[in-house]
Short mmCIF file of all heavy atoms in Angstrom, two decimals:
data_model
loop_
_atom_site.label_atom_id
_atom_site.label_comp_id
_atom_site.label_asym_id
_atom_site.label_seq_id
_atom_site.Cartn_x
_atom_site.Cartn_y
_atom_site.Cartn_z
N GLU T 1 -10.75 -15.88 -56.08
CA GLU T 1 -11.56 -14.61 -56.58
C GLU T 1 -13.00 -14.76 -56.34
O GLU T 1 -13.67 -13.77 -55.97
CB GLU T 1 -11.38 -14.44 -58.09
CG GLU T 1 -9.96 -13.99 -58.46
CD GLU T 1 -9.64 -13.84 -59.93
OE1 GLU T 1 -10.53 -14.14 -60.66
OE2 GLU T 1 -8.49 -13.67 -60.35
N GLU T 2 -13.53 -15.94 -56.46
CA GLU T 2 -14.94 -16.20 -56.24
C GLU T 2 -15.29 -15.95 -54.69
O GLU T 2 -16.35 -15.28 -54.37
CB GLU T 2 -15.37 -17.59 -56.54
CG GLU T 2 -15.44 -17.79 -58.01
CD GLU T 2 -15.74 -19.29 -58.35
OE1 GLU T 2 -16.32 -19.94 -57.42
OE2 GLU T 2 -15.51 -19.72 -59.41
N ILE T 3 -14.37 -16.33 -53.81
CA ILE T 3 -14.55 -16.13 -52.30
C ILE T 3 -14.57 -14.67 -52.09
O ILE T 3 -15.44 -14.15 -51.31
CB ILE T 3 -13.47 -16.96 -51.56
CG1 ILE T 3 -13.75 -18.41 -51.63
CG2 ILE T 3 -13.52 -16.48 -50.09
CD1 ILE T 3 -12.64 -19.27 -51.10
N LYS T 4 -13.59 -14.00 -52.64
CA LYS T 4 -13.40 -12.53 -52.35
C LYS T 4 -14.73 -11.84 -52.91
O LYS T 4 -15.22 -10.80 -52.29
CB LYS T 4 -12.19 -11.96 -53.13
CG LYS T 4 -10.80 -12.29 -52.49
CD LYS T 4 -9.75 -11.81 -53.21
CE LYS T 4 -8.39 -12.13 -52.63
NZ LYS T 4 -7.28 -11.80 -53.35
N GLU T 5 -15.16 -12.20 -54.11
CA GLU T 5 -16.41 -11.58 -54.62
C GLU T 5 -17.66 -11.88 -53.61
O GLU T 5 -18.35 -11.01 -53.34
CB GLU T 5 -16.66 -12.21 -56.05
CG GLU T 5 -15.76 -11.54 -57.13
CD GLU T 5 -16.08 -12.15 -58.52
OE1 GLU T 5 -17.16 -12.56 -58.65
OE2 GLU T 5 -15.07 -12.00 -59.25
N GLU T 6 -17.72 -13.10 -53.15
CA GLU T 6 -18.85 -13.39 -52.25
C GLU T 6 -18.74 -12.47 -51.02
O GLU T 6 -19.69 -12.05 -50.54
CB GLU T 6 -18.78 -14.91 -51.87
CG GLU T 6 -19.18 -15.81 -52.85
CD GLU T 6 -19.15 -17.16 -52.44
OE1 GLU T 6 -19.46 -17.56 -51.25
OE2 GLU T 6 -18.96 -18.09 -53.17
N VAL T 7 -17.45 -12.28 -50.38
CA VAL T 7 -17.44 -11.49 -49.25
C VAL T 7 -17.83 -10.08 -49.53
O VAL T 7 -18.49 -9.41 -48.84
CB VAL T 7 -15.99 -11.56 -48.69
CG1 VAL T 7 -15.61 -10.53 -47.62
CG2 VAL T 7 -15.58 -12.94 -48.15
N LYS T 8 -17.25 -9.60 -50.72
CA LYS T 8 -17.62 -8.27 -51.12
C LYS T 8 -19.09 -8.11 -51.28
O LYS T 8 -19.74 -7.13 -50.87
CB LYS T 8 -17.00 -7.87 -52.46
CG LYS T 8 -15.53 -7.54 -52.27
CD LYS T 8 -14.90 -7.17 -53.70
CE LYS T 8 -13.39 -6.98 -53.57
NZ LYS T 8 -12.87 -6.60 -54.91
N THR T 9 -19.78 -9.12 -51.89
CA THR T 9 -21.23 -9.08 -52.04
C THR T 9 -21.93 -9.06 -50.72
O THR T 9 -22.86 -8.31 -50.56
CB THR T 9 -21.64 -10.42 -52.95
OG1 THR T 9 -20.88 -10.47 -54.13
CG2 THR T 9 -23.11 -10.26 -53.28
N GLU T 10 -21.40 -9.87 -49.75
CA GLU T 10 -22.10 -9.93 -48.56
C GLU T 10 -21.98 -8.60 -47.81
O GLU T 10 -22.86 -8.21 -47.14
CB GLU T 10 -21.53 -11.09 -47.61
CG GLU T 10 -21.87 -12.48 -48.06
CD GLU T 10 -21.22 -13.63 -47.28
OE1 GLU T 10 -20.51 -13.19 -46.30
OE2 GLU T 10 -21.38 -14.71 -47.54
N ASP T 11 -20.70 -8.07 -47.81
CA ASP T 11 -20.54 -6.67 -47.23
C ASP T 11 -21.43 -5.69 -47.87
O ASP T 11 -22.07 -4.86 -47.16
CB ASP T 11 -19.09 -6.26 -47.34
CG ASP T 11 -18.07 -7.05 -46.47
OD1 ASP T 11 -18.65 -7.66 -45.48
OD2 ASP T 11 -16.99 -7.07 -46.68
N GLN T 12 -21.50 -5.72 -49.17
CA GLN T 12 -22.42 -4.72 -49.85
C GLN T 12 -23.75 -5.06 -49.46
O GLN T 12 -24.70 -4.01 -49.34
CB GLN T 12 -22.29 -4.92 -51.36
CG GLN T 12 -20.88 -4.41 -51.83
CD GLN T 12 -20.66 -4.60 -53.38
OE1 GLN T 12 -21.47 -5.29 -53.94
NE2 GLN T 12 -19.65 -4.05 -53.94
N THR T 13 -24.26 -6.21 -49.34
CA THR T 13 -25.65 -6.50 -48.90
C THR T 13 -25.98 -5.93 -47.57
O THR T 13 -26.97 -5.48 -47.27
CB THR T 13 -25.88 -8.20 -48.98
OG1 THR T 13 -25.46 -8.58 -50.28
CG2 THR T 13 -27.26 -8.51 -48.78
N ALA T 14 -24.97 -6.26 -46.61
CA ALA T 14 -25.13 -5.77 -45.23
C ALA T 14 -25.24 -4.15 -45.19
O ALA T 14 -26.15 -3.57 -44.59
CB ALA T 14 -24.02 -6.17 -44.33
N GLU T 15 -24.37 -3.55 -46.08
CA GLU T 15 -24.46 -2.07 -46.11
C GLU T 15 -25.80 -1.65 -46.76
O GLU T 15 -26.35 -0.67 -46.32
CB GLU T 15 -23.27 -1.59 -46.94
CG GLU T 15 -21.92 -1.62 -46.29
CD GLU T 15 -20.80 -1.19 -47.14
OE1 GLU T 15 -21.10 -0.55 -48.27
OE2 GLU T 15 -19.65 -1.52 -46.82
N GLU T 16 -26.15 -2.44 -47.81
CA GLU T 16 -27.47 -2.00 -48.35
C GLU T 16 -28.60 -2.20 -47.38
O GLU T 16 -29.43 -1.39 -47.36
CB GLU T 16 -27.63 -2.81 -49.63
CG GLU T 16 -26.72 -2.57 -50.81
CD GLU T 16 -26.95 -3.45 -52.01
OE1 GLU T 16 -27.71 -4.39 -51.91
OE2 GLU T 16 -26.17 -3.33 -52.95
N LYS T 17 -28.59 -3.29 -46.65
CA LYS T 17 -29.60 -3.47 -45.62
C LYS T 17 -29.65 -2.36 -44.59
O LYS T 17 -30.68 -1.92 -44.32
CB LYS T 17 -29.42 -4.85 -45.00
CG LYS T 17 -29.83 -6.02 -45.76
CD LYS T 17 -29.65 -7.40 -44.97
CE LYS T 17 -30.12 -8.61 -45.81
NZ LYS T 17 -29.94 -9.80 -45.04
N SER T 18 -28.43 -2.02 -44.19
CA SER T 18 -28.41 -0.86 -43.18
C SER T 18 -28.90 0.40 -43.82
O SER T 18 -29.46 1.23 -43.16
CB SER T 18 -27.11 -0.78 -42.53
OG SER T 18 -26.05 -0.33 -43.37
N GLU T 19 -28.56 0.60 -45.01
CA GLU T 19 -28.94 1.80 -45.77
C GLU T 19 -30.39 1.61 -46.14
O GLU T 19 -31.24 2.76 -46.01
CB GLU T 19 -28.12 1.98 -47.09
CG GLU T 19 -26.73 2.36 -46.80
CD GLU T 19 -25.99 2.53 -48.17
OE1 GLU T 19 -26.58 2.33 -49.23
OE2 GLU T 19 -24.70 2.64 -48.00
N GLU T 20 -30.97 0.48 -46.48
CA GLU T 20 -32.32 0.39 -46.72
C GLU T 20 -33.19 0.48 -45.59
O GLU T 20 -34.32 0.91 -45.55
CB GLU T 20 -32.52 -1.01 -47.39
CG GLU T 20 -32.06 -1.16 -48.83
CD GLU T 20 -32.19 -2.63 -49.32
OE1 GLU T 20 -32.91 -3.44 -48.68
OE2 GLU T 20 -31.49 -2.88 -50.26
N ASN T 21 -32.67 -0.03 -44.44
CA ASN T 21 -33.54 -0.06 -43.22
C ASN T 21 -32.73 0.70 -42.06
O ASN T 21 -32.17 0.12 -41.23
CB ASN T 21 -33.86 -1.54 -42.83
CG ASN T 21 -34.98 -1.60 -41.86
OD1 ASN T 21 -35.33 -0.58 -41.32
ND2 ASN T 21 -35.43 -2.71 -41.45
N PRO T 22 -32.85 2.00 -41.92
CA PRO T 22 -32.17 2.74 -40.90
C PRO T 22 -32.81 2.41 -39.50
O PRO T 22 -32.24 2.66 -38.46
CB PRO T 22 -32.41 4.18 -41.22
CG PRO T 22 -33.57 4.18 -42.08
CD PRO T 22 -33.58 2.88 -42.86
N LEU T 23 -34.07 1.87 -39.48
CA LEU T 23 -34.70 1.59 -38.21
C LEU T 23 -33.96 0.45 -37.49
O LEU T 23 -33.85 0.49 -36.28
CB LEU T 23 -36.20 1.04 -38.49
CG LEU T 23 -37.16 2.17 -38.89
CD1 LEU T 23 -38.43 1.62 -39.14
CD2 LEU T 23 -37.29 3.31 -37.90
N GLU T 24 -33.32 -0.54 -38.29
CA GLU T 24 -32.61 -1.68 -37.61
C GLU T 24 -31.33 -1.09 -36.86
O GLU T 24 -31.05 -1.46 -35.76
CB GLU T 24 -32.25 -2.74 -38.59
CG GLU T 24 -33.39 -3.47 -39.06
CD GLU T 24 -33.09 -4.62 -39.97
OE1 GLU T 24 -31.79 -4.95 -40.04
OE2 GLU T 24 -33.92 -5.29 -40.69
N LYS T 25 -30.75 -0.09 -37.58
CA LYS T 25 -29.54 0.54 -37.02
C LYS T 25 -29.91 1.28 -35.88
O LYS T 25 -29.25 1.18 -34.58
CB LYS T 25 -28.86 1.40 -38.09
CG LYS T 25 -27.55 2.03 -37.50
CD LYS T 25 -26.86 2.85 -38.60
CE LYS T 25 -25.55 3.32 -38.27
NZ LYS T 25 -25.26 3.74 -36.98
N GLU T 26 -31.06 2.04 -35.90
CA GLU T 26 -31.43 2.84 -34.72
C GLU T 26 -31.83 1.96 -33.51
O GLU T 26 -31.59 2.23 -32.45
CB GLU T 26 -32.67 3.73 -35.14
CG GLU T 26 -33.08 4.68 -34.01
CD GLU T 26 -34.23 5.52 -34.51
OE1 GLU T 26 -34.49 5.68 -35.72
OE2 GLU T 26 -34.84 6.19 -33.64
N LEU T 27 -32.55 0.78 -33.99
CA LEU T 27 -32.97 -0.15 -32.92
C LEU T 27 -31.71 -0.72 -32.19
O LEU T 27 -31.66 -0.87 -30.91
CB LEU T 27 -33.82 -1.34 -33.41
CG LEU T 27 -34.20 -2.38 -32.52
CD1 LEU T 27 -35.04 -1.80 -31.45
CD2 LEU T 27 -34.83 -3.50 -33.28
N SER T 28 -30.68 -1.13 -32.87
CA SER T 28 -29.45 -1.67 -32.31
C SER T 28 -28.72 -0.57 -31.47
O SER T 28 -28.30 -0.86 -30.29
CB SER T 28 -28.59 -2.15 -33.38
OG SER T 28 -28.00 -1.18 -34.21
N ASP T 29 -28.78 0.66 -31.82
CA ASP T 29 -28.22 1.76 -30.99
C ASP T 29 -28.94 1.97 -29.76
O ASP T 29 -28.40 2.13 -28.60
CB ASP T 29 -28.18 3.09 -31.82
CG ASP T 29 -27.29 3.14 -32.96
OD1 ASP T 29 -26.35 2.29 -32.96
OD2 ASP T 29 -27.34 3.93 -33.93
N VAL T 30 -30.24 1.95 -29.84
CA VAL T 30 -31.15 2.01 -28.67
C VAL T 30 -30.94 0.88 -27.70
O VAL T 30 -30.89 1.06 -26.43
CB VAL T 30 -32.65 2.27 -29.11
CG1 VAL T 30 -33.60 2.19 -27.76
CG2 VAL T 30 -32.85 3.56 -29.79
N LYS T 31 -30.79 -0.25 -28.26
CA LYS T 31 -30.54 -1.47 -27.34
C LYS T 31 -29.28 -1.25 -26.61
O LYS T 31 -29.17 -1.58 -25.46
CB LYS T 31 -30.56 -2.78 -28.26
CG LYS T 31 -31.88 -3.27 -28.70
CD LYS T 31 -31.70 -4.49 -29.30
CE LYS T 31 -33.04 -5.17 -29.71
NZ LYS T 31 -32.84 -6.44 -30.52
N GLU T 32 -28.18 -0.76 -27.32
CA GLU T 32 -26.95 -0.61 -26.72
C GLU T 32 -27.06 0.53 -25.60
O GLU T 32 -26.49 0.21 -24.48
CB GLU T 32 -25.90 -0.16 -27.78
CG GLU T 32 -24.43 -0.10 -27.18
CD GLU T 32 -23.54 0.25 -28.33
OE1 GLU T 32 -23.63 -0.19 -29.41
OE2 GLU T 32 -22.57 0.94 -27.92
N GLN T 33 -27.74 1.48 -25.95
CA GLN T 33 -27.97 2.58 -24.84
C GLN T 33 -28.69 2.03 -23.68
O GLN T 33 -28.22 2.35 -22.46
CB GLN T 33 -28.79 3.74 -25.44
CG GLN T 33 -27.90 4.91 -26.15
CD GLN T 33 -28.92 5.90 -26.57
OE1 GLN T 33 -29.99 5.76 -26.97
NE2 GLN T 33 -28.37 7.17 -26.46
N LEU T 34 -29.71 1.27 -23.87
CA LEU T 34 -30.44 0.67 -22.71
C LEU T 34 -29.60 -0.26 -21.92
O LEU T 34 -29.63 -0.15 -20.70
CB LEU T 34 -31.61 -0.03 -23.41
CG LEU T 34 -32.54 -0.72 -22.30
CD1 LEU T 34 -33.14 0.29 -21.39
CD2 LEU T 34 -33.76 -1.58 -23.03
N MET T 35 -28.74 -1.10 -22.60
CA MET T 35 -27.94 -1.98 -21.82
C MET T 35 -26.83 -1.09 -20.95
O MET T 35 -26.58 -1.47 -19.80
CB MET T 35 -27.10 -2.88 -22.81
CG MET T 35 -27.91 -3.91 -23.30
SD MET T 35 -27.21 -4.91 -24.67
CE MET T 35 -25.54 -5.26 -24.00
N ARG T 36 -26.30 0.01 -21.49
CA ARG T 36 -25.42 0.78 -20.76
C ARG T 36 -26.08 1.41 -19.55
O ARG T 36 -25.62 1.55 -18.41
CB ARG T 36 -24.85 1.86 -21.63
CG ARG T 36 -23.87 1.39 -22.62
CD ARG T 36 -23.29 2.42 -23.61
NE ARG T 36 -22.53 1.74 -24.61
CZ ARG T 36 -21.26 2.10 -24.84
NH1 ARG T 36 -20.63 2.99 -24.24
NH2 ARG T 36 -20.77 1.46 -25.94
#
């Protein structure tokens, strides 16, 4: 249960980071476009 909770917490943290910082998501999208 503790491991499951840690994974959930990490997933939530990653989602929160992407929600908190849309610039990072946009940057990764632009990088992908540039590579293509």
